[in-house]
Amino acid sequence: MSEKCKCLAVIRVRGVTDVFREIKDTLKMLHLSRNCHATLIDDRPSYVGMLRKAQNYVTWGEVSLENIVLLLKKKGRLVGNRELTDDYVKEIGYDSLEDLAEAIHAGKVEFGGLSDVKPVFRLHPPRKGFRGKVKRSFVAGGVTGYRGEAINDLIERMV
């Protein structure tokens, strides 16, 4: 991984019907099988290309450390739908969920590569709804596409 790697949060905002096969495969590779699912990735060029291909179905941006901790504590799940706890995090070599969140944010560990951890967060629809149309890009007043730091507000409303 690069020295200045950024952690991106990706949220699927459109449904599962009428999706082209290439885009469906891309969303499957990102583990975003349903609406309101989210995942954490880094900003390597292969991931950015996947995001650009599926930009009409997802929204993404740079996530803050506080929101990574919030996602891990409230929505992090292990295989078998068990909660992600400090005990499990100690088994894989970190002192607490905050330390794991710092490692994910710094790009030292890949969230999808953690063993026994589900690579997706199942979120609620945002409180007070999406602010804009789901079929328009964020820069045009909609929801989809790149939104930068504004992803943090959306995550807080969806947790």
Side-chain angles (χ1 to χ4, degrees):
M1 292 190 185
S2 65
E3 306 84 31
K4 295 278 187 175
C5 164
K6 290 186 264 183
C7 185
L8 302 174
V10 184
I11 302 172
R12 183 165 179 171
V13 294
R14 289 182 68 187
V16 295
T17 59
D18 294 336
V19 181
F20 290 117
R21 171 163 283 167
E22 285 183 8
I23 296 172
K24 191 181 285 189
D25 291 342
T26 302
L27 292 170
K28 189 175 182 181
M29 285 184 249
L30 290 170
H31 305 289
L32 300 174
S33 59
R34 305 190 80 188
N35 193 13
C36 296
H37 278 192
T39 190
L40 299 173
I41 59 172
D42 56 9
D43 64 344
R44 67 179 85 157
S46 59
Y47 281 140
V48 173
M50 293 168 123
L51 293 175
R52 294 214 190 280
K53 180 171 281 246
Q55 70 183 349
N56 292 328
Y57 294 88
V58 298
T59 186
W60 73 92
E62 291 86 12
V63 64
S64 66
L65 179 61
E66 295 81 22
N67 279 332
I68 295 175
V69 172
L70 180 71
L71 283 171
L72 289 175
K73 283 185 177 179
K74 295 219 174 174
K75 296 294 180 176
R77 294 279 181 241
L78 298 172
V79 174
N81 205 25
R82 297 171 305 173
E83 278 189 32
L84 184 62
T85 60
D86 282 330
D87 297 332
Y88 175 76
V89 173
K90 287 178 183 172
E91 287 177 17
I92 61 171
Y94 294 96
D95 294 334
S96 65
L97 281 170
E98 288 81 10
D99 290 339
L100 178 62
E102 287 176 15
I104 291 170
H105 189 260
K108 294 177 185 169
V109 65
E110 189 174 345
F111 175 68
L114 293 172
S115 64
D116 293 336
V117 177
K118 289 188 178 181
V120 68
F121 301 106
R122 297 184 302 183
L123 303 178
H124 296 286
R127 285 181 206 89
K128 299 188 179 178
F130 290 112
R131 302 207 172 116
K133 297 192 180 227
V134 178
K135 292 186 178 183
R136 285 192 187 161
S137 70
F138 183 72
V139 294
V143 177
T144 62
Y146 176 73
R147 59 172 59 214
E149 297 291 327
I151 195 78
N152 294 310
D153 176 52
L154 182 63
I155 290 172
E156 288 170 5
R157 291 189 295 128
M158 292 180 86
V159 171

